[in-house]
Amino acid sequence: MGDASPVSAIERHYTITEICELLNASFERVRQLVMNEPGVVVLLPNAPSKLRTRKMYRIPESVVRRILRRSSN
């Protein structure tokens, strides 16, 4: 079984674009902040593609709060 708690499954999940608006930061900067953060969900497309594979990040509200708390210090 995964390491996600039942609470994280029902909390709000944000996209990188939504966090960019909250922090007034660039997409690349926010992507770097969340890329290796524990608790972030990374979705990969099902179909294999010869083109670049795009990862979709979904960031739980608890992780967003942790990032905001860390950024404000």
Side-chain angles (χ1 to χ4, degrees):
M1 202 185 268
D3 57 348
S5 69
V7 174
S8 68
I10 59 172
E11 70 181 319
R12 174 143 196 259
H13 286 64
Y14 292 87
T15 63
I16 291 180
T17 304
E18 291 171 326
I19 298 173
C20 289
E21 293 170 4
L22 286 172
L23 297 177
N24 195 23
S26 70
F27 186 91
E28 185 60 26
R29 176 67 181 134
V30 172
R31 188 184 71 79
Q32 289 174 356
L33 281 172
V34 303
M35 193 166 44
N36 296 318
E37 194 70 30
V40 172
V41 179
V42 180
L43 303 170
L44 298 173
N46 244 355
S49 173
K50 293 184 190 241
L51 300 175
R52 187 173 86 195
T53 303
R54 292 210 176 262
K55 295 178 183 177
M56 294 182 292
Y57 293 89
R58 294 301 180 260
I59 305 96
E61 188 171 2
S62 58
V63 175
V64 173
R65 289 180 186 192
R66 184 177 359 151
I67 291 169
L68 290 172
R69 189 171 43 250
R70 193 173 52 220
S71 298
S72 66
N73 288 338

